[in-house]
mmCIF file with all atom_site columns, all heavy atoms in Angstrom:
data_model
loop_
_atom_site.group_PDB
_atom_site.id
_atom_site.type_symbol
_atom_site.label_atom_id
_atom_site.label_alt_id
_atom_site.label_comp_id
_atom_site.label_asym_id
_atom_site.label_entity_id
_atom_site.label_seq_id
_atom_site.pdbx_PDB_ins_code
_atom_site.Cartn_x
_atom_site.Cartn_y
_atom_site.Cartn_z
_atom_site.occupancy
_atom_site.B_iso_or_equiv
_atom_site.pdbx_formal_charge
_atom_site.auth_seq_id
_atom_site.auth_comp_id
_atom_site.auth_asym_id
_atom_site.auth_atom_id
_atom_site.pdbx_PDB_model_num
ATOM 1  N N   . SER S 1 165 ? -7.793  -5.514  -15.355 1.00 0.00 ? 211 SER S N   1
ATOM 2  C CA  . SER S 1 165 ? -7.148  -6.837  -15.292 1.00 0.00 ? 211 SER S CA  1
ATOM 3  C C   . SER S 1 165 ? -8.263  -7.894  -15.184 1.00 0.00 ? 211 SER S C   1
ATOM 4  O O   . SER S 1 165 ? -8.886  -8.015  -14.112 1.00 0.00 ? 211 SER S O   1
ATOM 5  C CB  . SER S 1 165 ? -6.235  -6.845  -14.077 1.00 0.00 ? 211 SER S CB  1
ATOM 6  O OG  . SER S 1 165 ? -5.255  -5.919  -14.204 1.00 0.00 ? 211 SER S OG  1
ATOM 7  N N   . LEU S 1 166 ? -8.530  -8.581  -16.252 1.00 0.00 ? 212 LEU S N   1
ATOM 8  C CA  . LEU S 1 166 ? -9.591  -9.611  -16.240 1.00 0.00 ? 212 LEU S CA  1
ATOM 9  C C   . LEU S 1 166 ? -9.232  -10.722 -17.271 1.00 0.00 ? 212 LEU S C   1
ATOM 10 O O   . LEU S 1 166 ? -8.486  -10.417 -18.229 1.00 0.00 ? 212 LEU S O   1
ATOM 11 C CB  . LEU S 1 166 ? -10.991 -9.003  -16.499 1.00 0.00 ? 212 LEU S CB  1
ATOM 12 C CG  . LEU S 1 166 ? -11.098 -8.099  -17.728 1.00 0.00 ? 212 LEU S CG  1
ATOM 13 C CD1 . LEU S 1 166 ? -11.537 -8.931  -18.910 1.00 0.00 ? 212 LEU S CD1 1
ATOM 14 C CD2 . LEU S 1 166 ? -12.165 -7.026  -17.498 1.00 0.00 ? 212 LEU S CD2 1
ATOM 15 N N   . PRO S 1 167 ? -9.835  -11.844 -17.195 1.00 0.00 ? 213 PRO S N   1
ATOM 16 C CA  . PRO S 1 167 ? -9.457  -13.003 -18.043 1.00 0.00 ? 213 PRO S CA  1
ATOM 17 C C   . PRO S 1 167 ? -10.182 -12.782 -19.427 1.00 0.00 ? 213 PRO S C   1
ATOM 18 O O   . PRO S 1 167 ? -11.103 -13.505 -19.823 1.00 0.00 ? 213 PRO S O   1
ATOM 19 C CB  . PRO S 1 167 ? -9.968  -14.189 -17.336 1.00 0.00 ? 213 PRO S CB  1
ATOM 20 C CG  . PRO S 1 167 ? -11.118 -13.696 -16.499 1.00 0.00 ? 213 PRO S CG  1
ATOM 21 C CD  . PRO S 1 167 ? -10.735 -12.291 -16.099 1.00 0.00 ? 213 PRO S CD  1
ATOM 22 N N   . VAL S 1 168 ? -9.615  -11.905 -20.244 1.00 0.00 ? 214 VAL S N   1
ATOM 23 C CA  . VAL S 1 168 ? -10.189 -11.665 -21.631 1.00 0.00 ? 214 VAL S CA  1
ATOM 24 C C   . VAL S 1 168 ? -10.205 -12.989 -22.416 1.00 0.00 ? 214 VAL S C   1
ATOM 25 O O   . VAL S 1 168 ? -11.173 -13.185 -23.200 1.00 0.00 ? 214 VAL S O   1
ATOM 26 C CB  . VAL S 1 168 ? -9.351  -10.558 -22.356 1.00 0.00 ? 214 VAL S CB  1
ATOM 27 C CG1 . VAL S 1 168 ? -9.767  -10.496 -23.772 1.00 0.00 ? 214 VAL S CG1 1
ATOM 28 C CG2 . VAL S 1 168 ? -9.476  -9.198  -21.618 1.00 0.00 ? 214 VAL S CG2 1
ATOM 29 N N   . GLY S 1 169 ? -9.231  -13.757 -22.233 1.00 0.00 ? 215 GLY S N   1
ATOM 30 C CA  . GLY S 1 169 ? -9.200  -15.044 -23.018 1.00 0.00 ? 215 GLY S CA  1
ATOM 31 C C   . GLY S 1 169 ? -10.343 -15.979 -22.832 1.00 0.00 ? 215 GLY S C   1
ATOM 32 O O   . GLY S 1 169 ? -10.573 -16.864 -23.627 1.00 0.00 ? 215 GLY S O   1
ATOM 33 N N   . GLU S 1 170 ? -11.074 -15.778 -21.777 1.00 0.00 ? 216 GLU S N   1
ATOM 34 C CA  . GLU S 1 170 ? -12.283 -16.642 -21.531 1.00 0.00 ? 216 GLU S CA  1
ATOM 35 C C   . GLU S 1 170 ? -13.547 -15.985 -21.924 1.00 0.00 ? 216 GLU S C   1
ATOM 36 O O   . GLU S 1 170 ? -14.639 -16.522 -21.595 1.00 0.00 ? 216 GLU S O   1
ATOM 37 C CB  . GLU S 1 170 ? -12.290 -16.980 -20.025 1.00 0.00 ? 216 GLU S CB  1
ATOM 38 C CG  . GLU S 1 170 ? -11.064 -17.621 -19.504 1.00 0.00 ? 216 GLU S CG  1
ATOM 39 C CD  . GLU S 1 170 ? -11.063 -17.851 -18.027 1.00 0.00 ? 216 GLU S CD  1
ATOM 40 O OE1 . GLU S 1 170 ? -12.016 -17.516 -17.394 1.00 0.00 ? 216 GLU S OE1 1
ATOM 41 O OE2 . GLU S 1 170 ? -10.019 -18.270 -17.479 1.00 0.00 ? 216 GLU S OE2 1
ATOM 42 N N   . THR S 1 171 ? -13.528 -14.877 -22.609 1.00 0.00 ? 217 THR S N   1
ATOM 43 C CA  . THR S 1 171 ? -14.731 -14.161 -22.953 1.00 0.00 ? 217 THR S CA  1
ATOM 44 C C   . THR S 1 171 ? -15.074 -14.257 -24.432 1.00 0.00 ? 217 THR S C   1
ATOM 45 O O   . THR S 1 171 ? -14.270 -14.508 -25.341 1.00 0.00 ? 217 THR S O   1
ATOM 46 C CB  . THR S 1 171 ? -14.543 -12.626 -22.646 1.00 0.00 ? 217 THR S CB  1
ATOM 47 O OG1 . THR S 1 171 ? -13.568 -12.111 -23.446 1.00 0.00 ? 217 THR S OG1 1
ATOM 48 C CG2 . THR S 1 171 ? -14.211 -12.447 -21.157 1.00 0.00 ? 217 THR S CG2 1
ATOM 49 N N   . ALA S 1 172 ? -16.401 -13.960 -24.693 1.00 0.00 ? 218 ALA S N   1
ATOM 50 C CA  . ALA S 1 172 ? -16.913 -13.786 -26.075 1.00 0.00 ? 218 ALA S CA  1
ATOM 51 C C   . ALA S 1 172 ? -16.837 -12.299 -26.232 1.00 0.00 ? 218 ALA S C   1
ATOM 52 O O   . ALA S 1 172 ? -17.209 -11.530 -25.408 1.00 0.00 ? 218 ALA S O   1
ATOM 53 C CB  . ALA S 1 172 ? -18.305 -14.324 -26.230 1.00 0.00 ? 218 ALA S CB  1
ATOM 54 N N   . ARG S 1 173 ? -16.295 -11.882 -27.448 1.00 0.00 ? 219 ARG S N   1
ATOM 55 C CA  . ARG S 1 173 ? -16.142 -10.480 -27.681 1.00 0.00 ? 219 ARG S CA  1
ATOM 56 C C   . ARG S 1 173 ? -16.996 -10.011 -28.865 1.00 0.00 ? 219 ARG S C   1
ATOM 57 O O   . ARG S 1 173 ? -17.108 -10.690 -29.860 1.00 0.00 ? 219 ARG S O   1
ATOM 58 C CB  . ARG S 1 173 ? -14.646 -10.166 -28.053 1.00 0.00 ? 219 ARG S CB  1
ATOM 59 C CG  . ARG S 1 173 ? -13.699 -10.213 -26.841 1.00 0.00 ? 219 ARG S CG  1
ATOM 60 C CD  . ARG S 1 173 ? -13.066 -11.573 -26.583 1.00 0.00 ? 219 ARG S CD  1
ATOM 61 N NE  . ARG S 1 173 ? -12.142 -11.988 -27.605 1.00 0.00 ? 219 ARG S NE  1
ATOM 62 C CZ  . ARG S 1 173 ? -11.724 -13.264 -27.806 1.00 0.00 ? 219 ARG S CZ  1
ATOM 63 N NH1 . ARG S 1 173 ? -12.222 -14.225 -26.915 1.00 0.00 ? 219 ARG S NH1 1
ATOM 64 N NH2 . ARG S 1 173 ? -10.870 -13.557 -28.755 1.00 0.00 ? 219 ARG S NH2 1
#
Side-chain angles (χ1 to χ4, degrees):
S211 299
L212 53 90
V214 171
E216 301 173 7
T217 65
R219 284 90 69 195

